[in-house]
Amino acid sequence: MKFISCESSFAAANIVIFGAPYDGTTSNRPGARFAGRAIRAESYGMETYSPYLDKDLSDFKIHDGGDLELPFGDPVPVLDMVCDYTKSVLAAEKIPLMLGGEHLVTLGAFRAVHEKFPQVNIVHFDAHADLRDEYLGQRLSHATVMRRCYDLIGDEGVFQFGIRSGEREEFRWGENHVYTEKFTVKTIPNIIKKLKDKPVYLTIDLDVLDTGVFPATGTPEAGGISFNELLNAIEQVSQLNIVGADICELSPPYDNTGASTALACKVVRELILSLR
Amino acid sequence: MKFISCESSFAAANIVIFGAPYDGTTSNRPGARFAGRAIRAESYGMETYSPYLDKDLSDFKIHDGGDLELPFGDPVPVLDMVCDYTKSVLAAEKIPLMLGGEHLVTLGAFRAVHEKFPQVNIVHFDAHADLRDEYLGQRLSHATVMRRCYDLIGDEGVFQFGIRSGEREEFRWGENHVYTEKFTVKTIPNIIKKLKDKPVYLTIDLDVLDTGVFPATGTPEAGGISFNELLNAIEQVSQLNIVGADICELSPPYDNTGASTALACKVVRELILSLR
Amino acid sequence: MKFISCESSFAAANIVIFGAPYDGTTSNRPGARFAGRAIRAESYGMETYSPYLDKDLSDFKIHDGGDLELPFGDPVPVLDMVCDYTKSVLAAEKIPLMLGGEHLVTLGAFRAVHEKFPQVNIVHFDAHADLRDEYLGQRLSHATVMRRCYDLIGDEGVFQFGIRSGEREEFRWGENHVYTEKFTVKTIPNIIKKLKDKPVYLTIDLDVLDTGVFPATGTPEAGGISFNELLNAIEQVSQLNIVGADICELSPPYDNTGASTALACKVVRELILSLR
Amino acid sequence: MKFISCESSFAAANIVIFGAPYDGTTSNRPGARFAGRAIRAESYGMETYSPYLDKDLSDFKIHDGGDLELPFGDPVPVLDMVCDYTKSVLAAEKIPLMLGGEHLVTLGAFRAVHEKFPQVNIVHFDAHADLRDEYLGQRLSHATVMRRCYDLIGDEGVFQFGIRSGEREEFRWGENHVYTEKFTVKTIPNIIKKLKDKPVYLTIDLDVLDTGVFPATGTPEAGGISFNELLNAIEQVSQLNIVGADICELSPPYDNTGASTALACKVVRELILSLR
Amino acid sequence: MKFISCESSFAAANIVIFGAPYDGTTSNRPGARFAGRAIRAESYGMETYSPYLDKDLSDFKIHDGGDLELPFGDPVPVLDMVCDYTKSVLAAEKIPLMLGGEHLVTLGAFRAVHEKFPQVNIVHFDAHADLRDEYLGQRLSHATVMRRCYDLIGDEGVFQFGIRSGEREEFRWGENHVYTEKFTVKTIPNIIKKLKDKPVYLTIDLDVLDTGVFPATGTPEAGGISFNELLNAIEQVSQLNIVGADICELSPPYDNTGASTALACKVVRELILSLR
Amino acid sequence: MKFISCESSFAAANIVIFGAPYDGTTSNRPGARFAGRAIRAESYGMETYSPYLDKDLSDFKIHDGGDLELPFGDPVPVLDMVCDYTKSVLAAEKIPLMLGGEHLVTLGAFRAVHEKFPQVNIVHFDAHADLRDEYLGQRLSHATVMRRCYDLIGDEGVFQFGIRSGEREEFRWGENHVYTEKFTVKTIPNIIKKLKDKPVYLTIDLDVLDTGVFPATGTPEAGGISFNELLNAIEQVSQLNIVGADICELSPPYDNTGASTALACKVVRELILSLR
């Protein structure tokens, strides 16, 4: 089953969707591994047309590569496989759009993107800073993923929005090394100006959303942004030169009403339609 | 079990509530058939007094006719039975207030209203345009219900608010035949002026609400209006000459927390108190 | 997404699985429309090997034709489409194995089977007799489906097991027209002897199972048979000349634990492996 | 809403059903207050005919008095109100059949029965002995209810079956004062002989059932009896002179699949049909 | 298990958290008894650092006294035990922070606070006025709790915010005896000025929040305030001389997604950090 | 929070309970990490007395060491930490009783046990053979755990019961290297005779139980043994020289009714009481 209307062949497509069903380092509530499967199935309850953008998925060429067949447990081989697949997409001059999975999978995709675009910046929507250097002794974790991305690109490359949870030390460290807008996404226009033309990787941890509209995630954090704010943020960022993107941290086992999965489908649709 | 405080006899009542427990054409998640029953049971967890309107259900004469005993499957006899019951209410000079069921049941009630009030207009709150001419080969569907109502009253009779989902073709067709406010309900005052004194049928598909406050519906669509916006919209529209109304598309099997059903009870209360 | 290991082409296959996602006449709790989709997705949590039969799905050629794209509401076109697809399978000399949907879809498949095999008998596992002549004025209903099948083949063609719910009139009528074992499935060996060599259609309403192991169905009826009893019953019946089969009435929205869907996957696996 | 087919007037009825929606002393998971309401609503998904007994509810005269309007918190006035209503039923020479609520409500009904029938015995199906003298300092509790009944009738009046949970002291005390069959219900025939002709009150705590078929209860205890064993036990006991009965401890908020409520409906049906 | 980072001894602590697991007078959906336990367990999914206040729980001395061992049923001994424990906290010159339980437990804590601080005022966030004089014949009830507190301190001592549900009589009575801001919390600054320096007890019924972000409560009332509005309100009120506080009415059995419990944890964290 | 009645100090205890909250290699539905926490919390809804064994937890000295603080992702450090803790228990001449977690954690405990008791045998209750040599390229997995244990002790050391799922290759390999009773646990007496006096490690994957009574597990497999059969099996095996034990694979996020967790509590109680 493919995401609705993403029936193009790999060769013909401009955008390639794929799933990274891994949640092995999730420290709170696992289940994000099922997100790709759930999003695809529920996408058929959604229209292909966006009244927000007045565009339709059926007008574009998108390939859905399905979920990668990843091992469980140790994240090292997982990230390698995610990286390799992303490289194959980039090598074919297509935009990779990954469906996590927990947030650590971003590192796999970003490594590939960084290899091809060494000047790449990251725009990061999230409730959590994800800037720890290690977590329970592990350097590869959903809680360290942005720090590991930072390791690749250094200061002035990471732009975070909507952050409302983290250790005091993460915030302190972040003040000197990354751009962080706490709680909200109002300063995106400033960043747009700054990043104009540079390659950008966009990573969306869906827990940036308020738990009212998006409870089905590993660590729900009240006080997030609204769906309309997220759509608006995506639309703005899409003016940049997006060379890769992902959405992460939908955890279907906690989506009792189905509304979180349905919302995620719309984010994917709007993200695709914004990219082009 | 009757909706709280709706203990009047049919003869004595000014408003007649009844349920239309049908969800046979629901294309996504069925269950709206259980809405009337759930709303009645949960209404006893709600006060009869509205602090919004400073009115109390106990001051009014309302009859609850219970759920109609409708067949399953083919919608043709269902709509006939809904139409017949609505006629009996109208014939007694009372206002029918129907509890769906899926949105198609509106057509049954509207046929009766249209027969008595040929100049009737429709005010329609919904996430979905419901303007397709057919759906999977069927002309009677929740996805075509507003188009079928349109067939009865023609251009300039349908006023839609909050619409945020539909096919491109529905929106295109709608531009020439109905009034549509996308996403929001801000232009109601303009319509109030236009419709002053004309008979109006008000149909509320509860999925017009944001999925944060109302996830328990057949097709949840993120990005909807708030509960307070809906109450305000109802209050405004109630200045018009409302000759019939309905609320549809609560699907209790997806109301894991009970909050959607409780919300629907309040909408019914506020709608009744606004009508009088 | 196909049922696990059912990757054969239509042409090469001996058995053809397909889904009939219709639950329009379900009078209690709808949702069986989602069964095919849920069974396919969950089948990947199951082994292809059966320690019961010491056989493996990977040894057989099975085609999964996916879910038919059926309309909603009126059952007449639905049954026609189910019948047509079943005919195409039979015309190619393959065994159709349908995943309902509610039990009425059996009628569509059985019409096709009866056309090709006019001497066909039905072996029927169910909690419900399904022998009403009409239900709420409708002759096509999950509650009448066995009566409609009976209409095609007459006395001494329908063999029911596990029946523990019905109107008094259904049981009275059944005494004169069909074979019914109430509550249990102990007399299968007698029927095996009787039907030897004749073509048989096997329909399994999964609510024949005890609600302890299979709660996720439209109308749960306590006091049913165990999973092992069902496997054993299937194995026995498979000695007959099975020319078509179905399993019905898994309702995934009520499968909170996932255990009912997982069980249904195993029934499909064992049924396939028993057929060959 | 009345229990299906219990439409007789109080005056004309032989059996009077009523609900006691109280769960104030429930020490584990509350919610049994909703049982009466849930059982009535779900009863419409069940047939009125019993293939077990070949009897039909429609042949009998049963009145459903609805749920009593009980206060919350302090059990003293609650038990008084339950007792008073039960007296009114007994005074009219009818059999009271109470739908709990938690098990403590049995004491209210039993007081009334004991007043009219001082020689009454209790047959008690339960997972729990309920024989404590006090619980957390309270003498009125679901955990003491059988001890309080014992206080009224003394040694050789309480007959317990299926007991599989309690404090060591309860069991020790019980050895000298009540009849207890642990785990199973096999010795009912012996008790039948002993009690022949004496008035009997039958109280069924539904948690006597295995948690596989009946998980939706305040304190689930694995290892219980099957549904068929319970039906059989009821049928046997109904040969006695039953002057009152109750079923308790369905907790609908924990009935995610609806199967426990559906089972309870059947127990009510079979109990009614066995009484007459 | 203690609330995260509340590992101080009683003697060393400035703030003492304790749970009051009672929901015996809950008239709608019970379950608040489990709130303390659930909040503690989920608190480990939350950071100790607040980016809102730039403070960290680890900087403070907080004792978690666990859940009191309360009886069930009759509220009289329950309130006594809550009162006694609160007195012991106050006697040691610490601030009590109680985790309900239903709202009635506030009366127990407030009695102790009032005894020590006879001039104490109450700031009350809630959806419900809780001002009835009795409810179903009972004077001790979650629906009367503010009236009972009023009985202790009289006119001009109770300040309510966010109220959106109650009987007409409650609102009428309240107009003459308490300060009530309906629906919103905008007038807090006025009250801050008025109460400056006086001792204040803060009681937060979490159902003051919108059901979108906080559905897991006994009586969900749509149209409440947002999480950010609540945080802001707490921060303002904490400028006053808070001598005791509580949060009530989280009902974990209705928290299917876990998001309500996670939100409650954050409210506790922010409340603690605001107090100091 | 400790398991009920397990309040002994480490030094004084004969048995040491501890949790291993890891589910990183779970290939189907994760969540077993929460089992220890859930079992402890729910244990307070259970009596300390066993009417099965006529013993009481309060008579024994048991220490609950809580959940180990394990990292996520890579299983290597996890198994080391589990092994180290188990060694500390064994070094103090106590019996370790581990609460998983997924089944892989057994390897950590078994390594410690094997070091101290090189002649140790394993008695293994499970639905799954867990005998693969690798799974998706990983040698450390819940699907390979028994193979890894086998690697330590070789032929004639592993005794499996209740197995009903696995690859054909696992069963084939097992025929030559381990003892396997498929589906049932009837041959335990034979093994008891064989193992008399030898040290035995008992590992219970709770999915050996039927999904009717135990749905809340990572991979539900219909057709398992009953609760009473499991108790009986434990009682028999406890005649042997048990030097360590574990129960695994309760997954609380799937325990919607709470009945699976309650059952697991009883298994822990009975296991403890059988050990001594």
Side-chain angles (χ1 to χ4, degrees), chain C residues 103 122-126 128-130 146 159-161 163 203:
Chain C
H103 210 171
I122 296 188
V123 172
H124 172 215
F125 299 154
D126 202 333
H128 304 90
D130 292 351
M146 281 303 121
F159 299 85
Q160 304 186 313
F161 299 89
I163 310 299
T203 179

Side-chain angles (χ1 to χ4, degrees), chain F residues 168-185:
Chain F
R168 182 154 48 189
E169 288 65 28
E170 287 179 86
F171 282 96
R172 292 285 180 271
W173 182 89
E175 282 166 19
N176 297 316
H177 299 286
V178 304
Y179 176 87
T180 302
E181 180 181 344
K182 286 196 291 189
F183 312 124
T184 47
V185 295

Side-chain angles (χ1 to χ4, degrees), chain A residues 29 132 164-168 171-172 182-183 210 212 215 219-223 254 256, chain E residues 45 47 49 51-52 54-56 58-59 212-213 227-228 256-259 262-263 266:
Chain A
R29 313 188 307 182
R132 300 186 196 213
R164 59 192 187 278
S165 186
E167 286 187 305
R168 183 155 46 190
F171 281 96
R172 293 285 179 272
K182 287 196 291 189
F183 311 124
D210 193 67
T219 303
E221 303 277 357
Y254 295 91
N256 308 72
Chain E
E47 305 288 349
Y49 172 71
Y52 297 94
D54 193 17
K55 295 182 184 174
D56 198 303
S58 61
D59 300 335
V213 289
F227 175 72
N228 285 335
N256 308 73
T257 65
L263 183 152
K266 268 197 177 170

Side-chain angles (χ1 to χ4, degrees), chain F residues 45-176:
Chain F
M46 177 182 68
E47 305 289 348
T48 54
Y49 172 72
S50 165
Y52 298 93
L53 300 170
D54 192 19
K55 296 183 185 174
D56 199 301
L57 290 176
S58 61
D59 300 334
F60 298 95
K61 290 187 175 150
I62 312 139
H63 175 70
D64 184 346
D67 273 10
L68 301 183
E69 211 173 313
L70 303 174
F72 299 94
D74 185 2
V76 172
V78 168
L79 294 181
D80 286 348
M81 291 170 78
V82 170
C83 185
D84 287 348
Y85 189 83
T86 309
K87 280 183 189 171
S88 74
V89 175
L90 293 167
E93 305 298 334
K94 300 164 198 315
I95 299 179
L97 172 45
M98 179 171 62
L99 310 178
E102 59 148 280
H103 210 170
L104 179 58
V105 296
T106 295
L107 181 58
F110 188 68
R111 282 177 181 165
V113 168
H114 178 254
E115 190 182 282
K116 178 160 184 183
F117 303 99
Q119 304 306 319
V120 70
N121 293 274
I122 295 188
V123 173
H124 172 217
F125 298 154
D126 203 332
H128 305 89
D130 293 351
L131 291 171
R132 301 186 195 213
D133 197 34
E134 65 171 354
Y135 184 65
L136 291 174
Q138 308 294 303
R139 288 172 55 84
L140 293 178
S141 163
H142 69 101
T144 66
V145 61
M146 281 303 121
R147 184 66 171 269
R148 291 293 86 75
C149 291
Y150 166 88
D151 290 346
L152 292 172
I153 57 176
D155 287 353
E156 308 207 1
V158 178
F159 299 84
Q160 305 185 312
F161 300 89
I163 311 299
R164 57 193 188 277
S165 186
E167 285 187 309
R168 182 154 48 189
E169 288 65 28
E170 287 179 86
F171 282 96
R172 292 285 180 271
W173 182 89
E175 282 166 19
N176 297 316

Side-chain angles (χ1 to χ4, degrees), chain C residues 29 132 168 172 210 212 221, chain D residues 47 54 59 212-213 257 266:
Chain C
R29 311 189 308 182
R132 300 186 196 213
R168 181 154 51 189
R172 293 285 180 272
D210 193 67
E221 303 277 357
Chain D
E47 305 289 347
D54 193 18
D59 299 335
V213 290
T257 66
K266 267 196 177 172

Side-chain angles (χ1 to χ4, degrees), chain C:
Chain C
M1 189 181 285
K2 296 182 183 307
F3 191 84
I4 190 167
S5 199
C6 296
E7 305 282 355
S8 176
S9 71
F10 183 93
N14 300 115
I15 296 175
V16 174
I17 295 180
F18 67 98
Y22 178 78
D23 56 17
T25 81
T26 300
S27 53
N28 199 352
R29 311 189 308 182
R33 67 179 65 182
F34 297 120
R37 191 165 104 181
I39 286 172
R40 286 185 187 92
E42 290 305 315
S43 69
Y44 291 85
M46 178 183 68
E47 306 288 348
T48 54
Y49 172 71
S50 165
Y52 299 92
L53 300 169
D54 192 18
K55 296 181 184 176
D56 198 303
L57 289 175
S58 61
D59 300 334
F60 299 94
K61 289 184 176 152
I62 312 140
H63 175 70
D64 184 346
D67 272 10
L68 301 182
E69 212 174 312
L70 303 173
F72 300 94
D74 185 2
V76 172
V78 169
L79 294 181
D80 287 348
M81 291 170 76
V82 170
C83 184
D84 287 349
Y85 188 84
T86 309
K87 281 183 189 170
S88 74
V89 175
L90 292 167
E93 305 297 334
K94 299 163 198 317
I95 299 178
L97 171 46
M98 179 170 62
L99 310 178
E102 59 150 279
H103 210 171
L104 180 58
V105 297
T106 295
L107 182 58
F110 188 67
R111 282 176 181 164
V113 168
H114 178 253
E115 190 181 282
K116 179 160 183 184
F117 303 99
Q119 305 306 317
V120 69
N121 293 273
I122 296 188
V123 172
H124 172 215
F125 299 154
D126 202 333
H128 304 90
D130 292 351
L131 290 171
R132 300 186 196 213
D133 198 34
E134 64 171 357
Y135 184 67
L136 291 175
Q138 308 293 304
R139 288 173 55 83
L140 294 178
S141 164
H142 69 102
T144 67
V145 61
M146 281 303 121
R147 184 66 170 270
R148 290 294 86 75
C149 291
Y150 166 88
D151 290 346
L152 292 172
I153 58 175
D155 288 352
E156 306 207 1
V158 178
F159 299 85
Q160 304 186 313
F161 299 89
I163 310 299
R164 58 192 187 277
S165 186
E167 286 187 307
R168 181 154 51 189
E169 290 65 28
E170 286 179 86
F171 282 95
R172 293 285 180 272
W173 182 89
E175 282 165 19
N176 297 314
H177 299 286
V178 303
Y179 176 88
T180 302
E181 180 182 344
K182 286 196 291 187
F183 313 124
T184 47
V185 296
K186 294 174 184 161
T187 62
I188 291 177
N190 306 345
I191 302 308
I192 299 292
K193 280 182 218 145
K194 198 166 179 176
L195 293 179
K196 191 116 270 176
D197 296 333
K198 291 192 194 162
V200 167
Y201 185 86
L202 171 62
T203 179
I204 302 173
D205 185 326
L206 288 166
D207 66 19
V208 72
L209 288 161
D210 193 67
T211 53
V213 289
F214 196 76
T217 190
T219 303
E221 303 277 357
I225 66 174
S226 73
F227 175 72
N228 285 336
E229 286 171 322
L230 179 57
L231 286 203
N232 190 254
I234 289 172
E235 207 173 335
Q236 288 180 72
V237 173
S238 68
Q239 301 167 26
L240 297 171
N241 174 23
I242 306 290
V243 297
D246 64 57
I247 69 161
C248 295
E249 296 286 2
L250 166 68
S251 185
Y254 295 91
D255 191 18
N256 308 73
T257 65
S260 296
T261 303
L263 183 152
C265 291
K266 267 197 176 170
V267 174
V268 173
R269 183 186 74 191
E270 297 296 311
L271 181 53
I272 291 172
L273 295 178
S274 293
L275 286 179
R276 293 281 105 188

Side-chain angles (χ1 to χ4, degrees), chain F residues 10 13 20 40 52 64 93 109 112 150 160 176 208 214 216 221 243 259-260 270:
Chain F
F10 184 91
R40 286 185 187 92
Y52 298 93
D64 184 346
E93 305 298 334
Y150 166 88
Q160 305 185 312
N176 297 316
V208 72
F214 196 76
E221 302 277 358
V243 296
S260 296
E270 297 296 312

